[in-house]
Structure formats: C-alpha cells, structure tokens
Amino acid sequence: RSAKEAVEEVALHLVSKSGFDSLPAMRARPPRLFFVGHAYYSRPGPRVIDGVEQLAALIHPGRFPAWAASDALQLHLESGEDLPGAAEFAAKCTAVCPGLECPDAQRCGSMAGSWWAVENIGGPKARATHV
C-alpha cells in the first residue's frame, strides 16, 4: 500500500474514534502524524534500511537528509484548526518534502547506496552520509 492509501485507512478507521484528536501527536501543530508506504516495511530485505532512513528523517528532521522522507505524507493543520472529518482528511495530508528527490538517484536506488555512516548521533551536529 502507498502512503496515500494509508491516509485513506486512517480517515476511514481512526479519525472518528473517540480520543484520537487528543493524542499528543495530534495536538502538536503541525500534527506529528506521518503516512508512509508499506513497501519498505512489509517484507525483510535491503529496502528495510530505506525504511529506517525514512523514519529517521521523519522523526529527526534536520539530522538526516530530507529526501529520505520524500514519499511520506503528513497531516497539516494550522494553529487552532480542528481535526477534519473523514471526508476532508485526505486533502489535509500533503507531501513532507514536495518535489525533493535523492541527489544521487542511481546510488539511492541500489542496495549499496542505502547504507549510511551516521556520526555524532543524538548530538547537535549529527550527520549521515552514503557509504
């Protein structure tokens, strides 16, 4: 399933549930609710590393390359804006990094390009580079 299909599932099954809008991730602005495709996570293999990179870029923006999260979606709400109903929910979910792609698509699409050296993790100047 794609990130867009994940948005549709959440709109169908979770938006109307009591307490969903009171979760800490949902109260933050913008909400810390991200949608990712299942391809990186649904079966073991080298693409799992791409999924870890994607999650790292979503959880720690600025410490990992933004393009790693380029195919993820995020719910965008303004300060004071209420959670939309199921019918409007998908329209509020947009690309985390629109138009952003890996700067070296040939390496990023290969298993070798999926490995990163991470330096100073957790520090103020953490950085990740292709190995």
Side-chain angles (χ1 to χ4, degrees), residues 46-89:
R47 293 191 75 188
V48 170
I49 299 300
D50 296 331
V52 170
E53 292 172 0
Q54 184 181 49
L55 292 177
L58 292 171
I59 294 169
H60 298 290
R63 292 189 179 184
F64 293 90
W67 56 259
S70 63
D71 59 348
L73 302 174
Q74 181 177 12
L75 175 63
H76 288 277
L77 298 176
E78 299 298 323
S79 181
E81 187 177 2
D82 291 332
L83 182 66
E88 303 88 29
F89 188 81

